Amino acid sequence: GAVVSQHPSWVICKSGTSVKIECRSLDFQATTMFWYRQFPKQSLMLMATSNEGSKATYEQGVEKDKFLINHASLTLSTLTVTSAHPEDSSFYICSASGSGGVRETQYFGPGTRLLVL
Amino acid sequence: AQKITQTQPGMFVQEKEAVTLDCTYDTSDPSYGLFWYKQPSSGEMIFLIYQGSYDQQNATEGRYSLNFQKARKSANLVISASQLGDSAMYFCAMGGGYQKVTFGIGTKLQVIP
């Protein structure tokens, strides 16, 4: 199956700093990538849809100025948590699809655990 | 809007036995995809099985099978011959491709030796 990687897998940072998370599709081109957030014992909640070469589409309630998304190429999307605060501590996970068909499975990265002190 | 409902917060199953994880869905789209993902304690989401809304047969992937009942809008996952490594969170989901994936709240499966 298709492989999606995320880097870093763990981040511990001080409150007020910015953190960048990378999501890469390793063996396929992904026109669209998705960013999710998962709090402990909860389901994945979509934050935004990232399209290569255009602005991301954010879900309601997600601050676009706080969670900056860049999809510069067909294999890389980045999520930057700006001025992170303890409430931003969560598990961030991306997914990517190689084609637009509804039959196409989205493949998920291994996730990034962010802890803001 | 799409909605996924998983009503079993937790399930126990004896090793080597079969278990069914329930999932119902709601959508107004005529064509849709249903997925099951496994999330072990390490966090990664592992794709298990896919069912298309127009597929004539229920999907099967090894020990996983999907009991798709379109009229009831249900897509239950059946795991046969449970193994200890099957202990994890299981998420039912709808979407795929360029569409955002909507997840249920998950079912925690514990396989007992």
Side-chain angles (χ1 to χ4, degrees):
Chain A
V3 179
V4 176
S5 71
Q6 274 183 249
H7 178 80
S9 55
W10 262 103
V11 181
I12 302 175
C13 68
K14 292 182 179 180
S15 183
T17 58
S18 294
V19 176
K20 179 186 281 188
I21 303 169
E22 292 185 349
C23 177
R24 292 182 185 273
S25 56
L26 298 184
D27 51 3
F28 67 100
Q29 293 184 327
T31 304
T32 303
M33 290 183 172
F34 301 86
W35 286 96
Y36 296 83
R37 180 168 53 183
Q38 185 181 30
F39 291 107
K41 298 185 179 181
Q42 294 188 23
S43 187
L44 277 70
M45 298 300 296
L46 180 68
M47 298 175 66
T49 302
S50 168
N51 295 295
E52 187 265 338
S54 63
K55 291 183 178 181
T57 302
Y58 290 82
E59 294 298 298
Q60 193 173 10
V62 177
E63 300 174 58
K64 61 180 66 178
D65 294 331
K66 181 169 185 61
F67 299 100
L68 301 179
I69 292 173
N70 183 278
H71 194 155
S73 75
L74 288 172
T75 58
L76 173 64
S77 176
T78 60
L79 168 68
T80 301
V81 183
T82 62
S83 187
H85 288 96
E87 58 266 28
D88 298 324
S89 298
S90 188
F91 186 60
Y92 293 87
I93 191 165
C94 70
S95 72
S97 174
S99 74
V102 70
R103 299 190 65 87
E104 179 68 19
T105 301
Q106 286 183 17
Y107 293 94
F108 285 79
T112 298
R113 295 192 187 279
L114 172 63
L115 177 61
V116 184
L117 303 176
Chain B
Q2 297 178 333
K3 184 178 179 182
I4 297 285
T5 303
Q6 294 179 256
T7 57
Q8 305 156 314
M11 291 281 287
F12 289 91
V13 64
Q14 202 79 38
E15 194 178 5
K16 300 180 184 178
E17 297 291 314
V19 63
T20 298
L21 305 183
D22 295 341
C23 172
T24 58
Y25 62 91
D26 192 20
T27 181
S28 56
D29 295 330
S31 178
Y32 48 89
L34 295 158
F35 301 82
W36 277 91
Y37 287 90
K38 171 184 177 181
Q39 187 179 42
S41 57
S42 54
E44 73 269 31
M45 296 291 283
I46 301 170
F47 165 72
L48 295 178
I49 196 167
Y50 167 86
Q51 178 80 48
S53 58
Y54 287 109
D55 291 344
Q56 295 297 315
Q57 294 184 324
N58 287 346
T60 60
E61 289 284 349
R63 294 187 298 111
Y64 304 107
S65 61
L66 202 152
N67 184 0
F68 181 48
Q69 298 187 39
K70 194 171 183 177
R72 293 186 176 185
K73 293 189 175 181
S74 72
N76 298 340
L77 176 70
V78 180
I79 305 174
S80 62
S82 297
Q83 302 172 356
L84 295 178
D86 294 335
S87 294
M89 283 292 291
Y90 287 81
F91 290 96
C92 180
M94 170 180 284
Y98 295 157
Q99 300 175 14
K100 65 181 183 181
V101 177
T102 301
F103 288 89
I105 62 172
T107 295
K108 185 171 184 177
L109 177 66
Q110 299 263 49
V111 180
I112 305 167

